[in-house]
Amino acid sequence: MAKGSPQLEWCIVRLGEDHNWWVDEISDPVHWDVDGLSIIDPRQVDHIIELIEPLREYGFDSDLFERAFIPFRITKDLGKGKVRLARTKQPLMESEEKLFALPDVIDEENGPYADFLDHITRLRVKLLNDLLDFEEKLTVDEVEDQLREAQNSDFIEGKAVHLFQEITSILDFMPAGHGDDDDEREKVSAEDEEDDLPEVDDSEEEKLKGDSSLKWDEDEDEDSDDEDGKKKDSDDEDEDEDGDDDDKKKDSDDEEDEKPSRGKRGRG
């Protein structure tokens, strides 16, 4: 319906905070609801075509791709992140001009865009069964169930799913436990932790080296050992002095038996 609809001639799109483009206004509001309607930008179109390339040897149908999208070209920059687009008849895969692509989602269940998603899902399953050594062959139903589960999770969290994400989730699909996804996530996590550390220039580093409050624990332990050693030596000296004093007091006591010493009264 959309391809032959003369009412669909232009649309105004805006760049969202997620760096994706969303439709704000459309020339055919009767058939199209712009609430949450996303559109694929030229960079994303190129990326999708690149991801489709490995599917060609499994029977990819270019006509299904062309029917699934309505191409638009930029006619005017409206400012504030908005652009006016005009419909064009140029094919997306052959055009040298950078084109936007609006998925034909008027009939979400049986329309050309739905046929395209079904087509690339089946081809992706064939490719994975050839590339990976499964105990049992991967099925289309299994892939669709996993993709639907992810979509439902986003829906519950209130996330608006852009149609580019829906397409690439199929073309990039990899079953759990296969591929390098886990390794890449760990690598990215480690890099993020390193990026969180503040950078210190050479001059600041020298200042920090001289800061006594930033000494390592072993330095503190050495200082503590030195203090304990000094304290021990001091205690030994005190004991020696006490011993000498006791000897002196004993001699004095022997000489003056009748006169009590001040030290003895102090202890009494």
Side-chain angles (χ1 to χ4, degrees):
M1 179 182 290
K3 289 287 186 179
S5 172
Q7 292 87 356
L8 184 59
E9 295 297 334
W10 58 265
C11 63
I12 295 176
V13 298
R14 60 176 173 80
L15 183 63
E17 294 181 358
D18 58 353
H19 302 291
N20 289 313
W21 290 89
W22 303 82
V23 178
D24 256 4
E25 298 179 39
I26 200 162
S27 61
D28 183 10
V30 175
H31 299 103
W32 293 84
D33 182 6
V34 298
D35 185 23
L37 180 60
S38 57
I39 188 169
I40 299 170
D41 67 36
R43 175 182 52 84
Q44 293 171 336
V45 170
D46 290 341
H47 185 65
I48 290 172
I49 293 174
E50 182 180 344
L51 292 178
I52 284 173
E53 193 62 31
L55 301 182
R56 292 187 181 279
E57 62 180 287
Y58 294 92
F60 176 74
D61 187 346
S62 299
D63 290 337
L64 273 178
F65 175 83
E66 296 293 349
R67 288 197 298 269
F69 301 95
I70 304 169
F72 285 83
R73 61 184 180 83
I74 300 174
T75 58
K76 187 177 183 181
D77 185 352
L78 302 177
K80 296 182 179 181
K82 290 188 176 184
V83 175
R84 183 183 178 88
L85 305 177
R87 188 170 173 177
T88 180
K89 293 183 179 180
Q90 296 186 52
L92 288 169
M93 283 192 164
E94 299 176 6
S95 176
E96 295 181 359
E97 185 178 0
K98 297 297 183 182
L99 301 176
F100 280 74
L102 178 65
D104 188 348
V105 292
I106 289 183
D107 187 347
E108 296 182 1
E109 298 296 328
N110 300 304
Y113 177 69
D115 293 340
F116 168 72
L117 294 184
D118 181 68
H119 182 58
I120 60 175
T121 301
R122 293 181 182 280
L123 297 185
R124 180 66 179 176
V125 169
K126 287 183 180 180
L127 182 148
L128 291 175
N129 281 326
D130 274 358
L131 292 180
L132 303 177
D133 185 18
F134 295 114
E135 293 183 2
E136 295 183 3
K137 290 287 187 180
L138 187 67
T139 67
V140 173
D141 289 339
E142 290 173 342
V143 174
E144 289 180 340
D145 287 344
Q146 293 186 45
L147 293 172
R148 192 177 299 110
E149 182 179 350
Q151 290 176 353
N152 290 338
S153 177
D154 289 337
F155 178 77
I156 293 173
E157 295 177 7
K159 295 180 180 178
V161 179
H162 195 276
L163 294 180
F164 172 73
Q165 179 183 344
E166 183 177 40
I167 297 168
T168 55
S169 66
I170 297 172
L171 296 174
D172 284 330
F173 178 82
M174 187 68 68
H178 294 81
D180 299 325
D181 291 349
D182 294 336
D183 295 337
E184 286 297 323
R185 278 195 291 271
E186 292 177 1
K187 181 179 178 181
V188 170
S189 177
E191 291 176 351
D192 289 342
E193 290 180 1
E194 292 178 359
D195 292 340
D196 290 338
L197 297 176
E199 296 183 358
V200 181
D201 58 31
D202 295 338
S203 60
E204 289 296 326
E205 186 176 357
E206 291 299 325
K207 291 180 181 179
L208 293 176
K209 287 181 179 179
D211 191 339
S212 60
S213 65
L214 299 177
K215 289 183 177 179
W216 296 105
D217 291 341
E218 59 184 26
D219 293 338
E220 295 177 357
D221 293 340
E222 292 177 359
D223 293 342
S224 177
D225 293 341
D226 292 341
E227 291 178 359
D228 291 343
K230 292 179 181 179
K231 183 177 181 181
K232 184 177 180 181
D233 294 340
S234 176
D235 291 342
D236 293 341
E237 291 177 358
D238 292 342
E239 289 178 1
D240 292 342
E241 291 178 359
D242 290 342
D244 293 341
D245 291 343
D246 290 341
D247 293 339
K248 290 179 182 179
K249 289 176 181 178
K250 184 177 181 182
D251 295 340
S252 176
D253 290 343
D254 293 340
E255 294 176 357
E256 301 180 5
D257 291 333
E258 297 180 359
K259 184 178 180 181
S261 68
R262 190 178 300 273
K264 288 183 179 180
R265 281 204 305 267
R267 296 193 187 104

